[in-house]
């Protein structure tokens, strides 16, 4: 009975960057809770088709749309098509993002701008165009995928931290402007998860692997499936009075200063 609060049957969810990684895990969660998925990627149609099959194997209805989230013209065209072909978007997850690991003093300005463009400007562009029909329909859920780097710095990820810190505040501003239309905007801040994005700093005996296990009270990397619950909560009726909140799913990292590595 109380599970009805989390039921997403009849809802349409657009998850950007949902062909792999955390985007795919969160989309799987929404799909398993009953939502129809709109899968997005920008690298190849083949990757999208492969993802659609993976969702299908889980019994999830999914439609694929290839577009570049940083290109406003493409975004407008895609959203228009999605709303005509699949239906009005009830849930938007702004997940597409990149990271570049370069010390700030060595980073090219163009690379810095690209990270800001994909990780911060694109959630604005996609939301701007999805929210219009949410405002008319007086309902909607927007979830921005933030990061530990929305709160903390780390060597070599300055552009990413600037973007994710900005995305946290963009989330609060979206909530400020759109809550009156019964649209809930919130963020999810994943801690350190075992994905392809973290593979370069996690596998092959990289010292960062031990560091993260030591730094995380739960003493492990997150399993991508452990993000599903947060996504379902923030996409469902269960969170209808939750606005501008960043839900960190981090095994306790932000709760603690950490401990010496020999303990
Ligand atoms: C890094 C990581 C980030 C984190 C994540 C933490 O280099 O610090 O790879 O991508 O995994 O964003 O929330
Ligand atoms: Ca899995």
């Amino acid at each position: 009975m109380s599970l009805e609060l989390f039921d997403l049957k009849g809802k349409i969810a657009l998850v950007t960057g949902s062909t792999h990684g955390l985007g795919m895990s969160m989309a799987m969660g929404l799909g398993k809770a009953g939502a129809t998925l709109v899968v997005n990627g920008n690298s190849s149609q083949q990757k999208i088709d492969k993802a659609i099959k993976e969702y299908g194997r889980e019994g999830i209805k999914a439609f694929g749309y290839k577009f570049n989230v940083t290109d406003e013209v493409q975004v407008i065209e895609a959203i228009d098509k999605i709303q005509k072909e699949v239906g009005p978007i009830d849930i938007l997850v702004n997940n597409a993002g990149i990271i570049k690991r370069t010390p700030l003093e060595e980073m090219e300005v163009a690379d810095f701008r690209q990270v800001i463009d994909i990780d911060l400007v694109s959630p604005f562009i996609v939301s701007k165009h999805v929210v219009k029909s949410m405002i008319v329909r007086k309902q909607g859920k927007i979830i921005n995928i933030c990061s530990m780097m929305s709160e903390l710095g780390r060597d070599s990820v300055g552009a990413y931290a600037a973007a994710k810190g900005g995305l946290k505040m963009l989330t609060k501003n979206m909530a400020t402007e759109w809550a009156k239309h019964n649209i809930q905007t919130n963020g999810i801040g994943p801690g350190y998860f075992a994905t392809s994005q973290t593979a370069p700093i996690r596998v092959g005996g990289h010292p960062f692997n031990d560091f993260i296990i030591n730094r995380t009270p739960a003493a492990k990397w997150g399993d991508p499936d452990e993000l599903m619950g947060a996504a379902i909560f923030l996409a469902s009726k269960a969170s209808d009075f939750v606005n501008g909140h960043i839900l960190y799913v981090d095994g306790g990292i932000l709760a603690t200063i950490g401990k010496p590595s020999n303990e």
Side-chain angles (χ1 to χ4, degrees), residues 99 101 146-149 154 156-157 160 164 189-193 197-198 201 208 221:
I99 191 165
R101 299 185 180 100
C146 298
S147 162
M148 289 295 92
M149 269 71 247
R154 184 170 98 71
S156 84
V157 296
Y160 183 80
K164 293 295 189 178
Y192 282 85
F193 280 79
Q197 184 187 258
T198 56
I201 52 175
F208 196 76
W221 289 79

